[in-house]
Amino acid sequence: MTALGQNLKINGERLWDSLMEMAEIGPGVAGGNNRQTLTDEDAEGRALFQKWCEDAGCTMGLDQMGNMFARREGTDPDALPVYVGSHLDTQPTGGKYDGVLGVLGGLEILRSLNDMGIKTRHPIVVTNFTNEEGTRYAPAMLSSGVFAGIHTQDWAYDREDAEGKKFGDELNRIGWRGEEEVGARKMHAFFELHIEQGPILEAEEKDIGVVTHGQGLSWTQVTITGKDAHTGSTPMPMRRNAGLAMARVLEAVDEIAWSHAPHAVGAAGHIDVYPNSRNVIPGQVVFTVDFRSPDLDVITDMENRLRVEGDKIAEAMGVEIAYEKVGGFDPVTFDEGCVTAVRSAADRLGYSHIDIISGAGHDACWINRVAPTAMVMCPCVDGLSHNEAEEISPEWAAAGTNVLFHAVVETAEIVE
Ligand code: HGY
Ligand code: MN
Ligand code: MN
């Protein structure tokens, strides 16, 4: 078996060119991307990815959640494939690399194997999971969740966006609903390359994050109902101000997260105010509280205290409050064998690396339920992500993809 030597590297320039070309699809307004799931821009990005994969000699599979599977044959067609991938959908004010680096890094591995004429025993499949972000359709990682048996497909198809459009209808509309049963594919292993989306690797001047764990996530949608009334003529004592109640609840969310410092985090990113008119006291607000921690007990404590504090605030202000769990997953421990493949790849290639817990959620967090899974991370500038200014260097992209390359090919077994 050809030794996986230091010389076995991907073509960093070609990878960077593909990242920049994909970034032209669904541009944002400040240099990033707005290629939200199941939009025409998402469809365009999918088509470009499919073309590139077919140019690389792959066959493309598509399942009923629109998950894409570009397969490079192995010498043993019965061997379970090694999967590698992430997501092409972005936040509305997303960056060019979140998810995309993991998908196009996987494609670059296939392109490089073709260049070198290397065969592997196991097939290798590059994957694009639909709706990882969970912005247009909550929850995040929706389609990898259906693939892993967490959500039913019918429930996923019924999810509605802010305009009331259903997931299943939009998937059909853009023409990317496949016939394959979701989750029928069995994996030998799954690897995901992702930017860190946090400040640790850059601050510690490390090239690679060897992701041993992922912190857990909890999304609680809170609805507060007061009474919409005139902002000018309604005396202060008569007001039932849902907007003010939300402000007090969000203050409590911040205090709850700080009480579990340094590892817990909490905030609300999604906020809808009704009727959202300058001279009307908000009658109703709907917002999603996002709590995260590597410790499940801490997540449970934060969820419980949100309800206790929220009820107290609502009682004191004469407004109603309701809670709905709309997303979440327990903290994740990735597969030791796959994590070791990542770590030894970084060592072999001479990259500096540290073990790290993923702060963000990823498709790998669900796939870890159905196959041995691990992640590779590269730094991002100022740890910034979910912001159009998200930036990485070509060197970081190449280093992360080289480690991914070695971990995937070692697991897929090179054949002379
Ligand atoms: O929410 C997350 O952590 C991921 O970026 N979807
Ligand atoms: Mn992502
Ligand atoms: Mn993201």
Side-chain angles (χ1 to χ4, degrees):
M1 173 172 135
T2 309
L4 275 165
Q6 275 223 356
N7 61 327
L8 210 60
K9 290 198 172 158
I10 55 103
N11 180 329
E13 258 180 60
R14 178 173 56 195
L15 169 64
W16 194 257
D17 289 348
S18 295
L19 285 165
M20 293 305 110
E21 191 170 341
M22 181 60 76
E24 287 169 22
I25 298 175
V29 295
N33 275 109
N34 178 8
R35 192 173 56 244
Q36 294 184 61
T37 195
L38 307 189
T39 58
D40 295 339
E41 293 76 16
D42 181 19
E44 203 185 327
R46 288 165 173 265
L48 178 60
F49 173 58
Q50 170 143 345
K51 178 186 176 312
W52 282 341
C53 291
E54 288 170 347
D55 291 349
C58 298
T59 51
M60 183 64 79
L62 186 67
D63 74 13
Q64 294 176 30
M65 284 296 290
N67 296 318
M68 300 173 75
F69 304 100
R71 178 184 170 107
R72 180 182 196 260
E73 287 310 328
T75 55
D76 176 356
D78 300 329
L80 287 183
V82 174
Y83 283 70
V84 53
S86 189
H87 62 93
L88 291 174
D89 67 304
T90 75
Q91 288 282 334
T93 55
K96 299 191 280 286
Y97 313 98
D98 172 357
V100 184
L101 177 62
V103 177
L104 299 189
L107 170 62
E108 177 51 36
I109 288 173
L110 304 192
R111 287 169 165 171
S112 297
L113 288 172
N114 290 344
D115 290 349
M116 299 172 196
I118 291 177
K119 289 189 174 51
T120 56
R121 186 168 79 81
H122 295 263
I124 297 174
V125 176
V126 181
T127 304
N128 167 35
F129 285 108
T130 305
N131 187 38
E132 187 280 339
E133 291 296 355
T135 303
R136 185 181 177 196
Y137 293 102
M141 300 112 73
L142 179 61
S143 304
S144 49
V146 175
F147 187 94
I150 310 297
H151 312 302
T152 68
Q153 185 171 303
D154 289 347
W155 181 79
Y157 273 26
D158 254 359
R159 314 300 292 150
E160 290 189 3
D161 68 5
E163 293 164 19
K165 291 178 184 166
K166 285 188 187 292
F167 179 97
D169 298 340
E170 283 293 281
L171 181 62
N172 279 319
R173 181 187 68 79
I174 66 167
W176 281 91
R177 180 191 182 283
E179 291 310 316
E180 262 189 44
E181 181 198 339
V182 185
R185 286 172 173 262
K186 299 306 167 207
M187 300 178 174
H188 179 56
F190 176 71
F191 291 91
E192 180 170 4
L193 166 63
H194 207 288
I195 62 171
E196 180 200 338
Q197 300 182 292
I200 299 167
L201 294 176
E202 187 185 42
E204 312 246 341
E205 295 181 352
K206 300 295 180 188
D207 303 315
I208 297 293
V210 178
V211 186
T212 56
H213 299 80
Q215 70 174 350
L217 173 155
S218 157
W219 281 0
T220 303
Q221 180 168 294
V222 182
T223 302
I224 298 177
T225 306
K227 187 172 173 67
D228 27 337
H230 200 298
T231 50
S233 52
T234 310
M236 292 302 277
M238 284 177 62
R239 296 180 179 206
R240 294 174 53 219
N241 185 338
L244 178 61
M246 174 182 68
R248 290 179 179 164
V249 170
L250 293 183
E251 190 66 47
V253 164
D254 195 59
E255 283 158 19
I256 291 166
W258 275 105
S259 74
H260 286 291
H263 296 304
V265 291
H270 151 246
I271 297 176
D272 287 325
V273 180
Y274 302 97
N276 201 22
S277 165
R278 289 176 182 76
N279 42 12
V280 178
I281 297 164
Q284 189 174 72
V285 293
V286 182
F287 55 102
T288 303
V289 175
D290 180 326
F291 279 131
R292 309 210 189 183
S293 165
D295 180 334
L296 184 57
D297 292 341
V298 169
I299 292 175
T300 308
D301 177 62
M302 294 196 287
E303 287 174 331
N304 294 339
R305 284 165 61 188
L306 165 63
R307 283 160 174 70
V308 169
E309 297 306 317
D311 288 352
K312 272 193 229 162
I313 289 163
E315 167 86 20
M317 296 183 68
V319 296
E320 283 99 57
I321 190 165
Y323 312 89
E324 183 193 351
K325 185 84 181 278
V326 292
F329 58 88
D330 293 353
V332 171
T333 301
F334 289 115
D335 175 80
E336 211 164 309
C338 292
V339 171
T340 302
V342 170
R343 192 181 292 114
S344 50
D347 278 334
R348 184 184 313 125
L349 288 158
Y351 294 126
S352 58
H353 59 86
I354 51 169
D355 288 3
I356 194 169
I357 295 174
S358 174
H362 302 287
D363 293 310
C365 297
W366 281 144
I367 302 303
N368 188 57
R369 298 283 184 95
V370 293
T373 297
M375 293 188 71
V376 183
M377 280 189 174
C378 75
C380 53
V381 175
D382 300 336
L384 186 63
S385 182
H386 286 194
N387 180 307
E388 291 205 44
E390 176 186 280
E391 200 48 76
I392 64 174
S393 71
E395 293 70 31
W396 286 343
T401 308
N402 280 325
V403 170
L404 185 74
F405 183 21
H406 278 230
V408 165
V409 170
E410 179 184 328
T411 308
E413 297 169 30
I414 290 182
V415 173
E416 287 308 318

